[in-house]
Amino acid sequence: PTNPVSAEALLKAFRAAPGLEARFVESKTMALLARPLVSKGRIYYLAPGRLARYVDAPSASIALIDPGKVELFDGTRWSTIDLASKPVVQRFVSSFVVLISGDDAALHTLYTASYGLETVGEAQYWRLTLRPRTKPLNQIVRSISLWGRGLIVARMRMEEVEGDITETRFEAVNPARRFSAEEQKRLFAPPAP
């Protein structure tokens, strides 16, 4: 795939995409743990701002992110976080949504962005590095870096101020995913009580 020539071109291409589906493997390295915490699952994005994160292993959980709230399932029960009442959580969870939705204005409000192209072997990748601009996010997150080709995000690395690092690799990425009405209900909404 052809790589966008700038961060603006990448965000414009993301804005035009209807949705996204991918599998992920996430590894979180923490100073307090001898080994990284590894989780596996799937993510789904539906324009203009709904993200669903399904963790399959080591234990099942679901996070459904809408512009105003996050609905969480811990394997036994659902709970809701009102993002308006938790600005740190709102900025943190909206970071990936802001990027994948191509929201240039929101991205530049939250982050200082640097973009470039890197060659690894025969392949060329884009790299977007985001550094939080304001408190309290910049007191938690040092940087978020993403690598990809075309519209396919291949890897994301988040470095926290305290030294913890989360590496996420994405596989089977479909950046042009369309969801039927039935899929939207099944994937992006909690089950009716």
Side-chain angles (χ1 to χ4, degrees):
T2 303
N3 288 314
V5 296
S6 66
E8 291 74 21
L10 176 66
L11 294 172
K12 182 179 179 183
F14 278 140
R15 270 195 306 276
L20 173 117
E21 176 180 9
R23 290 195 314 265
F24 70 85
V25 177
E26 183 176 275
S27 176
K28 185 171 179 93
T29 305
M30 302 171 69
L32 298 174
L33 299 176
R35 289 184 298 209
L37 295 174
V38 177
S39 58
K40 298 178 181 182
R42 298 156 283 132
I43 62 165
Y44 304 95
Y45 171 75
L46 175 65
R50 295 170 70 192
L51 183 72
R53 183 178 191 266
Y54 286 77
V55 176
D56 300 322
S59 57
S61 67
I62 302 170
L64 304 175
I65 301 167
D66 282 319
K69 67 183 175 187
V70 177
E71 299 195 65
L72 302 169
F73 181 69
D74 64 7
T76 57
R77 66 180 186 87
W78 285 92
S79 60
T80 302
I81 298 173
D82 176 10
L83 293 177
S85 66
K86 302 202 181 289
V88 176
V89 177
Q90 181 179 31
R91 287 183 179 144
F92 185 75
V93 301
S94 67
S95 297
F96 192 72
V97 175
V98 163
L99 173 71
I100 210 72
S101 67
D103 190 339
D104 196 13
L107 189 75
H108 284 49
T109 298
L110 294 171
Y111 297 98
T112 299
S114 62
Y115 181 86
L117 299 176
E118 299 178 358
T119 302
V120 179
E122 299 286 319
Q124 188 178 61
Y125 294 84
W126 53 259
R127 178 181 181 172
L128 179 65
T129 300
L130 307 171
R131 297 189 191 284
R133 287 183 180 269
T134 59
K135 293 179 182 177
L137 194 58
N138 67 359
Q139 296 172 320
I140 300 165
V141 176
R142 178 174 288 125
S143 66
I144 300 171
S145 296
L146 300 107
W147 290 263
R149 296 183 73 195
L151 283 183
I152 296 175
V153 178
R155 184 166 66 106
M156 181 171 70
R157 176 185 172 96
M158 182 178 67
E159 296 183 30
E160 296 179 30
V161 171
E162 298 293 324
D164 295 348
I165 296 172
T166 304
E167 289 262 4
T168 308
R169 295 199 176 273
F170 298 98
E171 303 168 345
V173 179
N174 179 355
R177 177 70 153 88
R178 295 187 185 278
F179 298 93
S180 68
E182 185 278 324
E183 287 175 318
Q184 290 180 37
K185 183 178 178 183
R186 179 172 48 86
L187 296 172
F188 296 95

